[in-house]
C-alpha cells in the first residue's frame, strides 16, 4: 500500500534524508480515560488500525466514526535506518488536534497543545540500540464540547449543521523522522526588501558552534547562480542581507515582472544552505523565497508598490473523504488551479490554518493567501491565552511564504461576541493585532474581519445582501462604514475608520443544489446559468463601488450541508468557469 501524503511536508526547509511515518498505525478509543492507568504507552491494547494522517472521523482513515471520542491513542513500530546511526533523530508532527503526549519506547518525551501548528522532538536518547525496533505512542485529548478551544468550523455537537462541520481529532498532517547532526540549522526566515533590492535571511544554528564553522548560501534564479556567500563566526541567531538587484544583467526589467513575485508572475529564487565544520558538511537544506512587497499607501492596498485589486475566493479547505486533510498534494494544487481558472487571484483560507503544502503551491502558481486563525466560539481568559499562543506559532511557521499577504487572527467576533462594547474583549482583539505586528511588520493585519473592528490595517466587511443593497451601501466611504450588514456596526465602540482600504471580504453565498445534495446558502438558484447570472449581479455591484478595493466571494466549494460553492464538495464545477472568469476580469 503506498504511503499517503508522501511529499516532503515542510517546503521551505527541506532535507534529503527523511522517513515518512504516514500509513498504518494501531489506534484505540479511550472513552473511559483508562489508558494512562493501564499504561497503554508501555503495552498497547489490541486495537483498530488507522491510516495516518487522516482523522478517525474521515472515510480515508479507515474508521469513519463521526461520534464524540475525546481521548484517543496511536501506536506504531519503526526501524531507524542504520545509516542514521550516531546522528540526532528528530520526530516531527505537522499538526495534532488538540493536546498530545508523545511516548518513545514507553517514555514520555513531549507534550504539545494546539491543533493547528507543528511540533518536533529530539528522540535520540530514548531509542533502542543494536537495530531493535522502536515504538512510538501518542495520546491525544480533543474535548469535543469545549468552545474555548481554537476549533474554527469544527462543530461542538455530534451532527454538523449550518456553517459548522464534522470535527477533526488527532493527527491530521504528516508525521516524519529526520536525522540531523549535533549542530544543525533549526529555522530560516526570508524577508524581501524590494525597494533596496535586498533579501534578508535570518537563521538559527542549534548545537555546538566552533571557530571553523561556516554557512554557504547559494541563491539561483531560473537555474542561474545569483549569490554565492560564505559566512563564519556563526551565533545561535544570525542575520544576513544579500543585494540582488545589481546581480541582474538585464537592467530594463528589475522593477517589473522579470524578478518580482506576483500572481501574474510567481517568480521564485531557489536556495541551498550548507553548514560546514571545516571541510565537513554537517547540514544542508533547500529553500526558496519570492521578492514581493505588500503595503498600504494613502489608503490604497499596494503589491510591489502598485495599486492591486484583490479578487479572492473564500476557501474552507475541507474535502469530502478526508475533512481538513487534503487527500493528496495534487488536491491542494487543484483547488488553486480551479480558482485561478475562474479569474480569482487569491483566497481567504477561512477558519483554517492550512497545510504548508497549500502555501507552497500558492507560492509556485501565483496565488494570494489571507492567513487566518481557527477561532474559539466563546471568550474566556484561557481562550485568549490559547489563541495568542498558537497564533504566534502560525505566523512564525508561514512568515516566509510570499503568497501570504494579510494576517487575520479573528473573524466575525467569534470568541469575542461582546467586542462591540466590552473593553476586555476589545483589548484582546487589539492585542492580537499588535502581537501580529510585533513579529511581522511586512503585512497588513485585521483585528476582527467582517465588522466590529478595533484597530485594523484593512476595513474588511461581510455583506450577504442583494446586489441592489450592496450597490447603495458602497457608493462612498461614509455609507460603507455606517452601513450595518448583519445588523453589526463596522467599528467597535470607541474605535473609528482611519482611512484604511475597504474590502468586501465575504459576500454572495449563492446556493445551488447541483448534485441533489440537501443544504442551504444565503440565496438560491436552480441552474448553472442562474448561478452565473446571480454571481454577475452581486459581483458587478461590488466592482462598481468607487471605494471598495477588492472582494472575497463565498465560496469555492460546497462543504457538507453548506451548498453555496461555485464547485460541488467533490470539486465538480456547477457552472461554466470561463463565465465566472469573464465577470471577474472587469477589474
Amino acid at each position: 500500500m503506498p504511503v499517503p501524503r508522501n511529499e516532503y511536508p515542510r517546503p521551505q526547509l527541506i532535507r534529503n534524508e527523511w522517513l515518512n511515518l504516514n500509513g498504518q498505525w494501531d489506534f484505540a478509543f479511550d472513552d473511559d480515560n483508562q489508558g494512562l492507568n493501564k499504561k497503554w504507552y508501555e503495552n498497547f491494547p489490541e486495537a483498530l488500525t488507522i491510516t495516518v494522517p487522516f482523522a478517525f472521523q474521515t472515510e480515508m482513515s479507515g474508521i469513519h466514526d463521526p461520534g464524540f471520542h475525546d481521548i484517543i491513542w496511536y501506536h506504531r513500530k519503526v526501524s531507524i535506518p542504520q545509516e542514521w546511526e550516531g546522528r540526532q533523530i528528530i520526530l516531527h508532527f505537522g499538526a495534532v488536534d488538540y493536546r498530545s503526549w508523545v511516548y518513545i519506547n514507553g517514555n514520555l518525551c513531549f507534550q504539545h497543545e494546539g491543533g493547528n501548528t507543528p511540533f518536533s522532538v529530539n528522540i535520540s536518547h530514548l531509542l533502542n540500540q543494536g537495530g531493535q525496533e522502536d515504538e512510538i505512542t501518542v495520546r491525544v485529548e480533543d474535548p469535543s464540547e469545549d468552545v474555548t478551544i481554537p476549533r474554527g468550523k469544527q462543530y461542538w455537537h455530534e451532527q454538523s449543521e449550518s456553517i459548522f462541520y464534522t470535527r477533526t481529532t488527532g493527527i491530521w498532517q504528516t508525521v516524519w523522522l529526520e536525522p540531523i547532526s549535533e549542530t544543525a540549522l533549526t529555522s530560516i526566515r526570508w524577508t524581501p526588501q524590494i525597494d533596496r533590492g535586498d533579501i534578508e535571511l535570518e537563521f538559527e544554528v542549534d548545537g555546538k558552534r566552533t571557530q571553523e564553522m561556516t554557512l554557504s548560501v547559494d541563491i539561483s534564479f531560473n537555474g542561474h547562480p545569483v549569490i554565492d556567500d560564505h559566512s563564519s563566526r556563526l551565533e545561535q541567531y544570525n542575520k544576513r542581507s544579500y543585494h540582488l538587484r545589481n546581480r541582474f544583467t538585464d537592467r530594463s526589467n528589475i522593477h517589473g515582472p522579470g524578478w518580482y513575485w506576483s500572481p501574474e508572475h510567481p517568480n521564485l529564487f531557489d536556495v541551498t544552505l550548507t553548514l560546514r565544520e571545516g571541510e565537513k558538511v554537517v547540514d544542508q537544506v533547500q529553500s526558496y523565497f519570492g521578492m514581493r512587497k505588500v503595503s498600504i499607501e494613502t489608503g490604497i492596498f499596494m503589491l510591489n508598490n502598485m495599486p492591486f485589486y484583490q479578487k479572492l475566493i473564500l476557501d474552507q479547505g475541507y474535502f469530502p473523504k478526508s475533512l481538513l486533510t487534503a487527500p493528496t498534494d495534487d488536491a491542494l494544487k487543484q483547488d488553486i488551479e480551479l480558482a485561478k481558472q475562474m479569474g480569482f487571484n487569491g483566497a481567504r483560507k477561512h477558519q483554517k490554518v492550512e497545510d504548508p503544502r497549500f502555501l507552497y503551491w500558492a507560492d509556485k502558481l501565483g496565488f494570494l493567501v489571507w492567513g487566518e486563525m481557527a477561532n474559539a466560539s466563546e471568550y474566556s481568559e484561557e481562550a485568549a491565552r490559547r489563541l495568542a499562543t498558537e497564533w504566534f506559532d502560525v505566523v512564525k511557521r508561514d512568515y516566509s511564504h510570499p503568497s501570504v499577504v494579510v494576517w487575520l487572527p479573528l473573524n466575525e467576533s467569534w470568541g469575542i461576541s461582546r467586542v462591540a462594547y466590552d473593553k476586555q474583549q476589545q483589548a484582546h482583539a487589539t492585542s492580537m493585532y499588535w502581537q501580529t505586528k510585533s513579529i511581522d511588520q511586512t503585512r497588513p493585519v485585521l483585528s476582527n474581519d467582517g465588522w466590529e473592528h478595533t484597530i485594523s490595517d484593512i476595513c474588511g466587511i461581510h455583506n450577504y445582501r442583494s446586489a441592489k443593497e450592496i450597490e447603495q451601501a458602497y457608493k462612498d466611504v461614509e455609507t460603507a462604514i455606517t452601513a450595518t450588514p448583519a445588523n453589526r456596526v463596522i467599528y467597535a465602540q470607541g474605535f473609528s475608520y482611519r482611512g484604511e482600504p475597504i474590502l468586501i471580504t465575504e459576500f454572495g453565498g449563492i446556493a445551488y443544489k447541483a448534485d441533489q445534495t440537501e443544504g442551504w446558502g444565503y440565496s438560491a438558484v436552480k441552474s448553472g446559468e442562474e448561478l452565473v447570472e446571480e454571481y454577475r449581479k452581486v459581483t458587478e455591484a461590488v466592482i462598481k463601488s468607487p471605494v471598495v478595493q477588492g472582494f472575497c466571494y463565498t465560496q469555492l466549494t460546497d462543504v457538507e450541508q453548506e451548498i453555496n460553492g461555485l464547485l460541488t464538495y467533490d470539486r465538480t464545477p456547477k457552472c461554466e468557469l470561463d463565465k465566472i472568469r469573464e465577470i471577474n476580469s472587469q477589474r
Side-chain angles (χ1 to χ4, degrees):
M1 180 179 178
V3 176
R5 297 301 306 271
N6 201 26
E7 65 285 344
Y8 192 87
R10 189 182 54 200
Q12 285 189 303
L13 203 164
I14 295 175
R15 291 188 174 95
N16 291 330
E17 288 186 279
W18 67 295
L19 180 63
N20 194 322
L21 298 185
N22 291 345
Q24 298 301 294
W25 288 57
D26 302 322
F27 180 83
F29 294 118
D30 189 9
D31 295 342
D32 297 324
N33 195 15
Q34 293 297 307
L36 286 174
N37 291 334
K38 294 182 178 180
K39 298 184 178 181
W40 287 1
Y41 49 85
E42 293 181 351
N43 296 290
F44 206 77
E46 290 189 16
L48 301 167
T49 299
I50 191 169
T51 302
V52 169
F54 305 110
F56 71 77
Q57 292 94 339
T58 70
E59 184 177 334
M60 291 190 71
S61 73
I63 296 177
H64 202 198
D65 182 346
F68 281 175
H69 299 287
D70 290 0
I71 302 174
I72 58 175
W73 292 71
Y74 297 82
H75 170 265
R76 71 162 289 169
K77 295 181 179 180
V78 61
S79 296
I80 305 297
Q82 289 185 350
E83 58 268 28
W84 293 6
E85 187 175 348
R87 300 163 76 183
Q88 304 296 300
I89 309 301
I90 311 299
L91 175 62
H92 300 279
F93 292 85
V96 183
D97 199 351
Y98 173 68
R99 284 187 286 268
S100 49
W101 291 259
V102 180
Y103 300 82
I104 302 297
N105 295 322
N107 299 288
L108 178 64
C109 65
F110 202 75
Q111 179 180 352
H112 181 262
E113 180 183 67
N116 303 283
T117 51
F119 61 96
S120 304
V121 56
N122 188 331
I123 62 173
S124 306
H125 61 294
L126 297 174
L127 296 175
N128 292 318
Q129 303 300 313
Q132 295 182 63
E133 282 190 317
D134 294 283
E135 297 189 45
I136 302 172
T137 306
V138 183
R139 179 181 183 270
V140 178
E141 288 184 357
D142 186 24
S144 302
E145 297 176 299
D146 187 342
V147 293
T148 65
I149 286 175
R151 61 173 63 252
K153 289 299 194 82
Q154 301 180 58
Y155 204 21
W156 51 92
H157 296 165
E158 280 202 296
Q159 298 297 318
S160 61
E161 61 180 321
S162 184
I163 63 171
F164 296 103
Y165 318 132
T166 304
R167 294 162 306 286
T168 289
T169 295
I171 298 171
W172 68 277
Q173 288 184 26
T174 292
V175 185
W176 81 101
L177 287 171
E178 189 169 54
I180 64 172
S181 299
E182 288 189 3
T183 304
L185 292 161
T186 53
S187 71
I188 56 176
R189 174 167 134 150
W190 300 104
T191 304
Q193 302 287 357
I194 71 169
D195 295 335
R196 300 199 309 261
D198 294 351
I199 182 68
E200 293 178 356
L201 166 64
E202 296 169 85
F203 63 94
E204 293 188 32
V205 179
D206 195 21
K208 182 180 179 181
R209 295 175 300 281
T210 71
Q211 292 183 347
E212 297 180 328
M213 190 150 287
T214 60
L215 180 74
S216 299
V217 178
D218 297 290
I219 302 175
S220 62
F221 183 71
N222 290 336
H224 300 288
V226 177
I227 297 289
D228 180 8
D229 179 72
H230 303 273
S231 304
S232 57
R233 300 178 63 182
L234 302 177
E235 305 295 334
Q236 181 176 1
Y237 167 80
N238 306 266
K239 187 173 182 178
R240 302 286 186 269
S241 183
Y242 305 109
H243 189 68
L244 299 175
R245 183 179 295 151
N246 293 340
R247 303 285 177 162
F248 288 85
T249 55
D250 181 7
R251 303 282 295 165
S252 64
N253 207 22
I254 59 174
H255 295 292
W259 63 301
Y260 285 177
W261 185 97
S262 70
E264 297 79 18
H265 303 280
N267 297 307
L268 297 174
F269 290 74
D270 297 309
V271 189
T272 300
L273 298 96
T274 306
L275 188 65
R276 291 182 174 89
E277 187 171 13
E279 296 299 317
K280 180 183 178 182
V281 174
V282 295
D283 196 13
Q284 187 172 79
V285 301
Q286 307 296 321
S287 188
Y288 69 86
F289 62 84
M291 292 296 290
R292 70 100 185 87
K293 176 185 176 182
V294 181
S295 59
I296 294 172
E297 306 291 342
T298 61
I300 306 297
F301 182 91
M302 313 280 278
L303 182 65
N304 299 333
N305 295 323
M306 299 290 291
F308 190 89
Y309 194 92
Q310 296 184 71
K311 295 177 282 190
L312 311 178
I313 188 78
L314 194 76
D315 183 359
Q316 313 269 10
Y318 276 73
F319 297 86
K321 295 183 179 181
S322 53
L323 298 177
L324 288 178
T325 309
T328 63
D329 192 48
D330 282 344
L332 295 169
K333 180 183 179 184
Q334 181 192 36
D335 278 0
I336 295 173
E337 290 173 332
L338 286 166
K340 287 177 70 73
Q341 186 178 339
M342 290 184 280
F344 295 101
N345 55 30
R348 181 177 150 223
K349 294 302 300 193
H350 187 37
Q351 286 300 292
K352 180 188 181 185
V353 178
E354 190 52 276
D355 187 321
R357 293 293 304 182
F358 179 90
L359 299 180
Y360 165 79
W361 285 116
D363 296 340
K364 192 83 172 172
L365 299 174
F367 196 62
L368 304 182
V369 178
W370 284 33
E372 183 170 339
M373 181 59 186
N375 292 159
S377 297
E378 296 293 340
Y379 184 81
S380 69
E381 287 79 4
E382 181 65 4
R385 181 199 65 80
R386 288 168 172 167
L387 186 79
T389 301
E390 197 166 358
W391 179 243
F392 184 95
D393 291 338
V394 171
V395 176
K396 181 181 178 181
R397 188 197 75 173
D398 296 340
Y399 176 93
S400 295
H401 288 281
S403 58
V404 178
V405 294
V406 173
W407 293 121
L408 204 166
L410 289 160
N411 167 69
E412 282 191 352
S413 305
W414 288 20
I416 48 170
S417 59
R418 299 180 297 280
V419 70
Y421 55 86
D422 184 283
K423 297 299 183 184
Q424 182 179 16
Q425 294 188 11
Q426 289 177 359
H428 174 55
T430 305
S431 73
M432 293 302 298
Y433 171 88
W434 287 117
Q435 174 185 314
T436 310
K437 286 290 189 181
S438 75
I439 51 178
D440 186 357
Q441 284 283 309
T442 70
R443 295 175 174 91
V445 181
L446 284 82
S447 63
N448 181 29
D449 190 39
W451 45 67
E452 297 169 348
H453 292 271
T454 56
I455 298 175
S456 288
D457 296 326
I458 292 172
C459 177
I461 300 172
H462 298 179
N463 192 330
Y464 286 100
R465 293 180 178 173
S466 68
K468 183 176 181 180
E469 290 172 300
I470 286 177
E471 189 170 344
Q472 287 296 311
Y474 304 107
K475 60 186 180 182
D476 56 45
V477 169
E478 183 63 25
T479 58
I481 64 173
T482 57
T484 55
N487 298 316
R488 301 290 193 107
V489 294
I490 304 303
Y491 286 87
Q493 190 178 89
F495 297 86
S496 60
Y497 180 67
R498 303 177 301 158
E500 49 266 28
I502 297 171
L503 279 77
I504 307 304
T505 47
E506 283 189 32
F507 77 108
I510 303 164
Y512 169 38
K513 300 178 183 178
D515 55 6
Q516 306 303 312
T517 301
E518 291 300 318
W520 71 277
Y522 293 91
S523 60
V525 295
K526 297 181 180 179
S527 68
E529 291 75 19
E530 284 187 28
L531 177 58
V532 170
E533 188 55 32
E534 287 303 308
Y535 180 85
R536 181 186 304 279
K537 289 177 183 177
V538 71
T539 303
E540 287 181 348
V542 173
I543 289 173
K544 284 179 184 177
S545 170
V547 299
V548 172
Q549 296 186 35
F551 62 77
C552 180
Y553 179 80
T554 303
Q555 61 185 337
L556 180 64
T557 76
D558 294 349
V559 184
E560 296 189 349
Q561 68 279 349
E562 193 170 345
I563 57 168
N564 48 29
L566 295 172
L567 312 172
T568 65
Y569 201 6
D570 65 4
R571 278 52 178 176
T572 301
K574 294 184 180 181
C575 60
E576 293 183 46
L577 302 189
D578 288 348
K579 292 187 176 180
I580 300 296
R581 183 182 187 89
E582 177 185 304
I583 297 164
N584 288 340
S585 67
Q586 295 178 54
R587 282 300 303 259

